[in-house]
Amino acid sequence: MSGNPGDAPAGTAGGARGGAPAGRPDNGPAVSRQEFDALFASVRTWGRWAEADRGAWNGVTADHARRAAAAVRDGTVVPMARPWDTRPGPDNAKPALHYMSDLGDVQAPEPSVHKDFLAADYHGKSVTHLDALSHIAYRGQLYDGRAARESVDAAGARFGAVSALGPLVTRGVLVDLPAVLGVDWLEPGRAVHARDVVAAQEALGVTIGDGDAVLLRSGALRRRRELGPWNPDTASAGWHVDALPMLAERAVALLGGDGDSDVRPSPVEGVHSPVHALAVTAMGVPLLDNLDLEPLSAACAEAGRYTFLLVVAPLNVPGGTGSPVNPVAVL
């Protein structure tokens, strides 16, 4: 079975054109711009930290990393990056580049070498990456009220760069909602609400706490592999904005998922990525986009627990608004 309870079985969902979702999206309730701005103000943490461009990661201490490491039991290591995707598709409008720059043709002196070139316009729907605090502005402001036009220019970000974050190590929590609901995946367009988090915590035996990295599995990669790709800009499962106050109250430090965290279509009029604005710009919480959470889902189910040590090491790019990453969970 796939999607929400009552949806068509896996293999019949998605309509006639590959993996394109069919039917009316369950992305509501709708939120007005006025309601969204009030929500933005309610979760905002501007002025809280001296090192503002680290945002919520100021609250993650060495003790958080120590406790997460101490909870490792069998040492199972699960990488979460998708393969480097060089093939164009409805969910990969700007394919990553990979080509060989040296095939070892020079015969002397030894040894011969092989070299390759990598590049990516990674802020899309295919490359697994980390969003730094300079990536998202709302009403012309970055996190902490910094003026976006004064903080980011053609040379990069002078505030909120990914290089300010450094390696991120803390406890990860997998909110495996398809496992909770007994389905293969959430249909694109399905919003995840605060009540879903409450149900997931009870079903999975976890409690989200301060400094945690919360990873939402919608099953998007499983759906893609079984039904084919679709355009996630048009429809994707993800957080509804009504879940963010609860996550803010828990003082989470990182959000991520097998999409880009936002439910699409957006339920907020005039705001295409409201969860990005709330998390990154209001709360100072970086985002992990486009994870492959299928192996982690299987590993957590086998281990009977949904918490783990999470390690994310972004590239050290001064002025970068993010970085491709290969996050690793250790159970």
Side-chain angles (χ1 to χ4, degrees):
M1 184 175 184
S2 68
N4 301 321
D7 283 345
T12 64
R17 292 183 296 174
R24 185 177 179 180
D26 187 19
N27 66 328
V31 177
S32 71
R33 190 65 172 273
Q34 183 178 10
E35 291 170 325
F36 178 76
D37 285 347
L39 181 57
F40 186 98
S42 73
V43 300
R44 191 169 55 196
T45 61
W46 295 1
R48 180 174 296 182
W49 312 108
E51 293 184 73
D53 53 3
R54 286 180 54 79
W57 275 89
N58 283 283
V60 181
T61 66
D63 199 45
H64 286 87
R66 181 192 61 77
R67 290 198 303 266
V72 171
R73 297 179 187 173
D74 59 19
T76 299
V77 177
V78 184
M80 288 177 274
R82 298 188 190 184
W84 196 250
D85 196 347
T86 60
R87 296 169 299 177
D91 53 354
N92 193 16
K94 297 179 180 179
L97 299 179
H98 178 211
Y99 62 81
M100 300 306 296
S101 57
D102 192 332
L103 291 175
D105 294 332
V106 177
Q107 299 301 312
E110 295 286 2
S112 59
V113 298
H114 304 92
K115 301 176 184 177
D116 51 357
F117 173 89
L118 297 173
D121 191 350
Y122 59 87
H123 283 300
K125 308 298 183 182
S126 180
V127 176
T128 302
H129 66 271
L130 177 72
D131 290 343
L133 301 192
S134 54
H135 177 49
I136 298 294
Y138 182 64
R139 295 195 181 278
Q141 293 179 304
L142 300 176
Y143 178 69
D144 211 45
R146 306 300 177 98
R149 288 189 178 276
E150 297 174 5
S151 303
V152 185
D153 58 22
R158 293 186 294 275
F159 172 84
V162 71
S163 52
L165 292 173
L168 309 178
V169 181
T170 193
R171 186 180 80 145
V173 178
L174 179 65
V175 177
D176 195 340
L177 204 52
V180 172
L181 298 175
V183 299
D184 292 335
W185 56 72
L186 307 182
E187 277 300 313
R190 203 284 202 184
V192 177
H193 301 275
R195 62 179 179 270
D196 294 311
V197 181
V198 173
Q201 287 184 121
E202 182 177 352
L204 302 175
V206 299
T207 301
I208 296 169
D210 73 282
D212 282 346
V214 178
L215 308 183
L216 173 64
R217 175 179 173 258
S218 71
L221 265 288
R222 178 169 178 177
R223 187 186 192 279
R224 187 185 192 278
R225 288 160 186 160
E226 294 191 19
L227 300 182
W230 70 95
N231 183 359
D233 276 328
T234 302
S236 59
W239 296 110
H240 190 277
V241 296
D242 68 14
L244 271 292
M246 177 184 184
L247 297 172
E249 182 181 346
R250 302 294 178 88
V252 301
L254 182 66
L255 291 178
D258 49 14
D260 72 351
S261 291
D262 270 284
V263 65
R264 300 184 191 282
S266 168
V268 182
E269 59 176 297
V271 184
H272 66 81
S273 299
V275 170
H276 276 65
L278 292 176
V280 177
T281 313
M283 297 163 55
V285 172
L287 297 178
L288 281 172
D289 291 350
N290 309 325
L291 299 172
D292 184 351
L293 295 176
E294 298 308 298
L296 181 60
S297 173
C300 286
E302 182 177 352
R305 59 192 181 93
Y306 287 80
T307 61
F308 43 87
L309 169 66
L310 177 70
V311 180
V312 184
L315 298 175
N316 186 2
V317 183
T321 63
S323 169
V325 290
N326 181 15
V328 174
V330 187
L331 281 76

